[in-house]
Amino acid sequence: MRGEFDLIRRFFETATPAREDVLLGVGDDCALLAPAPGRVLAVSSDTLVCGRHFHPDVDPESLGHKALAVNLSDLAAMGAEPAWVSLCLTLPEADEAWLASFMRGFSRLAVAHGVALIGGDTTCGPLSVSITVHGHVEPDRALRRDAARPGDAVYVTGTLGDAGLALRLRAAGEAASAEASLMARLDRPEPRVRTGRALAGLVRCAIDISDGLGADLGHICARSGVGAELDGAALPLSPAVRARVERDADWMLPLASGDDYELLVCAPPSCEAALEQAGRDCGTPLTRIGRIVAGAGVRMHLPDGNIIEEAALGHEHFSD
Ligand code: ADP
Ligand code: MG
């Protein structure tokens, strides 16, 4: 097995293009990296475990994409520019075809974002993928969870609930007849890196939506010491999710399903025109969906006058 992994390691040496700030990449005991002058490092790790975060029969190319995408989404949420990534793989066997496919998905996204694979670890055991991304950002421009203030407006990129709907359709065995673009929202999320960079310096507060709108806005509220009021009628929904919400009054789909990887942004209303421009420049619109208030907790006002209270739901409903 050891020898096979040595062979496989060649995959990693050529997986991504060279960067000038990588003085020494895959192949030695450590990578040697030159941090960007005037910037601070933004570092984040995520682990995906087979059986918990993905099915054993997952398409490896999609898994390679998604494992990197969820990490890049964290950099986007800080307004950071991605630079380097390390990859720790635990594999039950040295299946070269599986790994080649995994690395295709991983590498395509890494190349698209100019990220260099700078090292990692490969061990034998139950399948899991652990990734650490490194980016950099101007120290006074980083987007933080603790910077929301009463009076701020709440914005979100893209649309909400698509990955949640795709997950339901797959669980019901209906994925084959679903729109490919809907399933892609679950399998190949596009991290909003460009938007995050455009927002850095423009606003101060953002988070990426990985657990669901309610839960992640709840994180901002808890860290900032504020509350939030959402307007259900304003939520940006794809036609497929809108149809479900209208048919079943299923507001939990856009409010509480995870894996959207959109950015949630809080900013004073005076930023509105600049945010709209950033949305146009980056090709992903930002929609105003509510406001930050004094107090605590997240509430959503529905078109029929009802209110969904975070406290009434219990935390687990918000965090999947
Ligand atoms: P060491 O025994 O010194 O820790 P390894 O034999 O584990 O080194 O790895 C040799 C080289 O291959 C190192 O540069 C390491 O970063 C790289 N490497 C191992 N696994 C991976 C991986 N999954 N992705 C990227 N690089 C890897
Ligand atoms: Mg060593």
PDB file of all heavy atoms in Angstrom, residues 289-314:
ATOM      1  N   ILE A 289     -32.893  41.048   1.967  1.00  0.00           N
ATOM      2  CA  ILE A 289     -33.895  40.110   2.502  1.00  0.00           C
ATOM      3  C   ILE A 289     -34.331  40.452   3.936  1.00  0.00           C
ATOM      4  O   ILE A 289     -35.152  39.736   4.502  1.00  0.00           O
ATOM      5  CB  ILE A 289     -33.390  38.652   2.465  1.00  0.00           C
ATOM      6  CG1 ILE A 289     -32.093  38.494   3.269  1.00  0.00           C
ATOM      7  CG2 ILE A 289     -33.210  38.196   1.032  1.00  0.00           C
ATOM      8  CD1 ILE A 289     -31.689  37.027   3.470  1.00  0.00           C
ATOM      9  N   GLY A 290     -33.765  41.493   4.528  1.00  0.00           N
ATOM     10  CA  GLY A 290     -34.187  41.799   5.893  1.00  0.00           C
ATOM     11  C   GLY A 290     -33.315  42.863   6.513  1.00  0.00           C
ATOM     12  O   GLY A 290     -32.594  43.574   5.820  1.00  0.00           O
ATOM     13  N   ARG A 291     -33.401  42.945   7.847  1.00  0.00           N
ATOM     14  CA  ARG A 291     -32.627  43.987   8.534  1.00  0.00           C
ATOM     15  C   ARG A 291     -32.180  43.502   9.906  1.00  0.00           C
ATOM     16  O   ARG A 291     -32.790  42.601  10.507  1.00  0.00           O
ATOM     17  CB  ARG A 291     -33.437  45.274   8.644  1.00  0.00           C
ATOM     18  CG  ARG A 291     -34.669  45.135   9.477  1.00  0.00           C
ATOM     19  CD  ARG A 291     -35.670  46.237   9.194  1.00  0.00           C
ATOM     20  NE  ARG A 291     -36.876  45.979   9.973  1.00  0.00           N
ATOM     21  CZ  ARG A 291     -37.144  46.529  11.160  1.00  0.00           C
ATOM     22  NH1 ARG A 291     -36.323  47.413  11.690  1.00  0.00           N
ATOM     23  NH2 ARG A 291     -38.229  46.210  11.822  1.00  0.00           N
ATOM     24  N   ILE A 292     -31.127  44.136  10.367  1.00  0.00           N
ATOM     25  CA  ILE A 292     -30.582  43.861  11.701  1.00  0.00           C
ATOM     26  C   ILE A 292     -31.253  44.811  12.687  1.00  0.00           C
ATOM     27  O   ILE A 292     -31.442  45.996  12.397  1.00  0.00           O
ATOM     28  CB  ILE A 292     -29.044  44.063  11.705  1.00  0.00           C
ATOM     29  CG1 ILE A 292     -28.368  43.076  10.741  1.00  0.00           C
ATOM     30  CG2 ILE A 292     -28.477  43.941  13.116  1.00  0.00           C
ATOM     31  CD1 ILE A 292     -28.506  41.619  11.119  1.00  0.00           C
ATOM     32  N   VAL A 293     -31.643  44.256  13.841  1.00  0.00           N
ATOM     33  CA  VAL A 293     -32.325  45.054  14.871  1.00  0.00           C
ATOM     34  C   VAL A 293     -31.611  44.866  16.216  1.00  0.00           C
ATOM     35  O   VAL A 293     -30.824  43.926  16.382  1.00  0.00           O
ATOM     36  CB  VAL A 293     -33.802  44.622  15.016  1.00  0.00           C
ATOM     37  CG1 VAL A 293     -34.583  44.910  13.731  1.00  0.00           C
ATOM     38  CG2 VAL A 293     -33.911  43.150  15.393  1.00  0.00           C
ATOM     39  N   ALA A 294     -31.908  45.756  17.152  1.00  0.00           N
ATOM     40  CA  ALA A 294     -31.413  45.566  18.517  1.00  0.00           C
ATOM     41  C   ALA A 294     -32.102  44.333  19.099  1.00  0.00           C
ATOM     42  O   ALA A 294     -33.229  44.008  18.718  1.00  0.00           O
ATOM     43  CB  ALA A 294     -31.720  46.805  19.352  1.00  0.00           C
ATOM     44  N   GLY A 295     -31.428  43.624  19.990  1.00  0.00           N
ATOM     45  CA  GLY A 295     -32.036  42.432  20.593  1.00  0.00           C
ATOM     46  C   GLY A 295     -31.266  41.188  20.232  1.00  0.00           C
ATOM     47  O   GLY A 295     -30.038  41.232  20.113  1.00  0.00           O
ATOM     48  N   ALA A 296     -31.993  40.077  20.061  1.00  0.00           N
ATOM     49  CA  ALA A 296     -31.321  38.797  19.785  1.00  0.00           C
ATOM     50  C   ALA A 296     -32.237  37.922  18.943  1.00  0.00           C
ATOM     51  O   ALA A 296     -33.453  38.102  18.934  1.00  0.00           O
ATOM     52  CB  ALA A 296     -30.988  38.082  21.101  1.00  0.00           C
ATOM     53  N   GLY A 297     -31.666  36.983  18.229  1.00  0.00           N
ATOM     54  CA  GLY A 297     -32.435  35.968  17.520  1.00  0.00           C
ATOM     55  C   GLY A 297     -32.886  36.397  16.131  1.00  0.00           C
ATOM     56  O   GLY A 297     -32.865  37.580  15.784  1.00  0.00           O
ATOM     57  N   VAL A 298     -33.305  35.388  15.359  1.00  0.00           N
ATOM     58  CA  VAL A 298     -33.740  35.601  13.982  1.00  0.00           C
ATOM     59  C   VAL A 298     -35.234  35.323  13.886  1.00  0.00           C
ATOM     60  O   VAL A 298     -35.707  34.308  14.390  1.00  0.00           O
ATOM     61  CB  VAL A 298     -32.989  34.632  13.028  1.00  0.00           C
ATOM     62  CG1 VAL A 298     -33.471  34.803  11.600  1.00  0.00           C
ATOM     63  CG2 VAL A 298     -31.481  34.842  13.128  1.00  0.00           C
ATOM     64  N   ARG A 299     -35.981  36.246  13.267  1.00  0.00           N
ATOM     65  CA  ARG A 299     -37.411  36.029  12.986  1.00  0.00           C
ATOM     66  C   ARG A 299     -37.658  36.220  11.503  1.00  0.00           C
ATOM     67  O   ARG A 299     -37.042  37.092  10.890  1.00  0.00           O
ATOM     68  CB  ARG A 299     -38.268  37.066  13.739  1.00  0.00           C
ATOM     69  CG  ARG A 299     -38.571  36.746  15.184  1.00  0.00           C
ATOM     70  CD  ARG A 299     -39.080  37.966  15.918  1.00  0.00           C
ATOM     71  NE  ARG A 299     -38.077  39.018  15.910  1.00  0.00           N
ATOM     72  CZ  ARG A 299     -37.028  39.063  16.747  1.00  0.00           C
ATOM     73  NH1 ARG A 299     -36.864  38.124  17.674  1.00  0.00           N
ATOM     74  NH2 ARG A 299     -36.142  40.028  16.659  1.00  0.00           N
ATOM     75  N   MET A 300     -38.557  35.402  10.946  1.00  0.00           N
ATOM     76  CA  MET A 300     -38.910  35.616   9.540  1.00  0.00           C
ATOM     77  C   MET A 300     -40.398  35.892   9.400  1.00  0.00           C
ATOM     78  O   MET A 300     -41.227  35.119   9.874  1.00  0.00           O
ATOM     79  CB  MET A 300     -38.510  34.429   8.672  1.00  0.00           C
ATOM     80  CG  MET A 300     -38.673  34.764   7.196  1.00  0.00           C
ATOM     81  SD  MET A 300     -37.748  33.700   6.092  1.00  0.00           S
ATOM     82  CE  MET A 300     -38.929  32.388   5.887  1.00  0.00           C
ATOM     83  N   HIS A 301     -40.725  37.005   8.748  1.00  0.00           N
ATOM     84  CA  HIS A 301     -42.111  37.412   8.506  1.00  0.00           C
ATOM     85  C   HIS A 301     -42.574  36.791   7.198  1.00  0.00           C
ATOM     86  O   HIS A 301     -41.926  36.943   6.166  1.00  0.00           O
ATOM     87  CB  HIS A 301     -42.203  38.945   8.432  1.00  0.00           C
ATOM     88  CG  HIS A 301     -41.775  39.600   9.716  1.00  0.00           C
ATOM     89  ND1 HIS A 301     -42.668  40.047  10.655  1.00  0.00           N
ATOM     90  CD2 HIS A 301     -40.534  39.839  10.223  1.00  0.00           C
ATOM     91  CE1 HIS A 301     -42.009  40.545  11.690  1.00  0.00           C
ATOM     92  NE2 HIS A 301     -40.694  40.431  11.447  1.00  0.00           N
ATOM     93  N   LEU A 302     -43.709  36.081   7.237  1.00  0.00           N
ATOM     94  CA  LEU A 302     -44.230  35.406   6.046  1.00  0.00           C
ATOM     95  C   LEU A 302     -45.283  36.282   5.363  1.00  0.00           C
ATOM     96  O   LEU A 302     -45.890  37.142   6.012  1.00  0.00           O
ATOM     97  CB  LEU A 302     -44.842  34.058   6.440  1.00  0.00           C
ATOM     98  CG  LEU A 302     -43.872  33.101   7.151  1.00  0.00           C
ATOM     99  CD1 LEU A 302     -44.565  31.774   7.445  1.00  0.00           C
ATOM    100  CD2 LEU A 302     -42.618  32.884   6.310  1.00  0.00           C
ATOM    101  N   PRO A 303     -45.516  36.046   4.080  1.00  0.00           N
ATOM    102  CA  PRO A 303     -46.485  36.879   3.348  1.00  0.00           C
ATOM    103  C   PRO A 303     -47.887  36.819   3.957  1.00  0.00           C
ATOM    104  O   PRO A 303     -48.641  37.787   3.836  1.00  0.00           O
ATOM    105  CB  PRO A 303     -46.489  36.261   1.938  1.00  0.00           C
ATOM    106  CG  PRO A 303     -45.170  35.558   1.816  1.00  0.00           C
ATOM    107  CD  PRO A 303     -44.799  35.100   3.190  1.00  0.00           C
ATOM    108  N   ASP A 304     -48.250  35.714   4.630  1.00  0.00           N
ATOM    109  CA  ASP A 304     -49.602  35.619   5.209  1.00  0.00           C
ATOM    110  C   ASP A 304     -49.689  36.286   6.583  1.00  0.00           C
ATOM    111  O   ASP A 304     -50.723  36.205   7.259  1.00  0.00           O
ATOM    112  CB  ASP A 304     -50.042  34.150   5.312  1.00  0.00           C
ATOM    113  CG  ASP A 304     -49.159  33.341   6.276  1.00  0.00           C
ATOM    114  OD1 ASP A 304     -48.289  33.941   6.951  1.00  0.00           O
ATOM    115  OD2 ASP A 304     -49.346  32.114   6.352  1.00  0.00           O
ATOM    116  N   GLY A 305     -48.625  36.946   7.017  1.00  0.00           N
ATOM    117  CA  GLY A 305     -48.647  37.659   8.290  1.00  0.00           C
ATOM    118  C   GLY A 305     -48.086  36.847   9.444  1.00  0.00           C
ATOM    119  O   GLY A 305     -47.791  37.392  10.503  1.00  0.00           O
ATOM    120  N   ASN A 306     -47.936  35.531   9.252  1.00  0.00           N
ATOM    121  CA  ASN A 306     -47.329  34.707  10.304  1.00  0.00           C
ATOM    122  C   ASN A 306     -45.838  35.008  10.436  1.00  0.00           C
ATOM    123  O   ASN A 306     -45.203  35.518   9.507  1.00  0.00           O
ATOM    124  CB  ASN A 306     -47.529  33.214  10.014  1.00  0.00           C
ATOM    125  CG  ASN A 306     -48.943  32.771  10.346  1.00  0.00           C
ATOM    126  OD1 ASN A 306     -49.544  33.276  11.302  1.00  0.00           O
ATOM    127  ND2 ASN A 306     -49.471  31.852   9.560  1.00  0.00           N
ATOM    128  N   ILE A 307     -45.311  34.639  11.602  1.00  0.00           N
ATOM    129  CA  ILE A 307     -43.886  34.854  11.868  1.00  0.00           C
ATOM    130  C   ILE A 307     -43.263  33.530  12.293  1.00  0.00           C
ATOM    131  O   ILE A 307     -43.836  32.813  13.134  1.00  0.00           O
ATOM    132  CB  ILE A 307     -43.691  35.902  12.984  1.00  0.00           C
ATOM    133  CG1 ILE A 307     -44.224  37.269  12.525  1.00  0.00           C
ATOM    134  CG2 ILE A 307     -42.220  36.004  13.384  1.00  0.00           C
ATOM    135  CD1 ILE A 307     -44.146  38.346  13.593  1.00  0.00           C
ATOM    136  N   ILE A 308     -42.134  33.179  11.693  1.00  0.00           N
ATOM    137  CA  ILE A 308     -41.374  32.022  12.170  1.00  0.00           C
ATOM    138  C   ILE A 308     -40.339  32.536  13.158  1.00  0.00           C
ATOM    139  O   ILE A 308     -39.507  33.382  12.818  1.00  0.00           O
ATOM    140  CB  ILE A 308     -40.667  31.281  11.015  1.00  0.00           C
ATOM    141  CG1 ILE A 308     -41.683  30.783   9.982  1.00  0.00           C
ATOM    142  CG2 ILE A 308     -39.854  30.098  11.564  1.00  0.00           C
ATOM    143  CD1 ILE A 308     -41.069  30.043   8.814  1.00  0.00           C
ATOM    144  N   GLU A 309     -40.440  32.050  14.393  1.00  0.00           N
ATOM    145  CA  GLU A 309     -39.530  32.492  15.452  1.00  0.00           C
ATOM    146  C   GLU A 309     -38.427  31.467  15.620  1.00  0.00           C
ATOM    147  O   GLU A 309     -38.713  30.271  15.705  1.00  0.00           O
ATOM    148  CB  GLU A 309     -40.278  32.582  16.799  1.00  0.00           C
ATOM    149  CG  GLU A 309     -41.359  33.630  16.844  1.00  0.00           C
ATOM    150  CD  GLU A 309     -40.834  34.978  17.290  1.00  0.00           C
ATOM    151  OE1 GLU A 309     -39.619  35.066  17.594  1.00  0.00           O
ATOM    152  OE2 GLU A 309     -41.625  35.920  17.338  1.00  0.00           O
ATOM    153  N   GLU A 310     -37.199  31.913  15.683  1.00  0.00           N
ATOM    154  CA  GLU A 310     -36.085  30.987  15.897  1.00  0.00           C
ATOM    155  C   GLU A 310     -36.280  30.206  17.198  1.00  0.00           C
ATOM    156  O   GLU A 310     -36.123  28.986  17.236  1.00  0.00           O
ATOM    157  CB  GLU A 310     -34.770  31.757  15.948  1.00  0.00           C
ATOM    158  CG  GLU A 310     -33.565  30.860  16.116  1.00  0.00           C
ATOM    159  CD  GLU A 310     -32.264  31.656  16.125  1.00  0.00           C
ATOM    160  OE1 GLU A 310     -32.326  32.897  16.001  1.00  0.00           O
ATOM    161  OE2 GLU A 310     -31.224  31.024  16.271  1.00  0.00           O
ATOM    162  N   ALA A 311     -36.704  30.929  18.256  1.00  0.00           N
ATOM    163  CA  ALA A 311     -36.852  30.281  19.564  1.00  0.00           C
ATOM    164  C   ALA A 311     -37.931  29.199  19.515  1.00  0.00           C
ATOM    165  O   ALA A 311     -37.779  28.121  20.082  1.00  0.00           O
ATOM    166  CB  ALA A 311     -37.198  31.313  20.622  1.00  0.00           C
ATOM    167  N   ALA A 312     -39.031  29.461  18.784  1.00  0.00           N
ATOM    168  CA  ALA A 312     -40.128  28.505  18.710  1.00  0.00           C
ATOM    169  C   ALA A 312     -39.718  27.233  17.977  1.00  0.00           C
ATOM    170  O   ALA A 312     -40.223  26.157  18.249  1.00  0.00           O
ATOM    171  CB  ALA A 312     -41.322  29.139  17.999  1.00  0.00           C
ATOM    172  N   LEU A 313     -38.796  27.376  17.066  1.00  0.00           N
ATOM    173  CA  LEU A 313     -38.379  26.227  16.266  1.00  0.00           C
ATOM    174  C   LEU A 313     -37.407  25.325  16.999  1.00  0.00           C
ATOM    175  O   LEU A 313     -37.370  24.116  16.773  1.00  0.00           O
ATOM    176  CB  LEU A 313     -37.683  26.705  14.992  1.00  0.00           C
ATOM    177  CG  LEU A 313     -38.609  27.232  13.919  1.00  0.00           C
ATOM    178  CD1 LEU A 313     -37.829  28.026  12.910  1.00  0.00           C
ATOM    179  CD2 LEU A 313     -39.327  26.075  13.260  1.00  0.00           C
ATOM    180  N   GLY A 314     -36.607  25.899  17.859  1.00  0.00           N
ATOM    181  CA  GLY A 314     -35.532  25.124  18.473  1.00  0.00           C
ATOM    182  C   GLY A 314     -34.342  25.144  17.541  1.00  0.00           C
ATOM    183  O   GLY A 314     -34.489  25.169  16.316  1.00  0.00           O
TER     184      GLY A 314
END
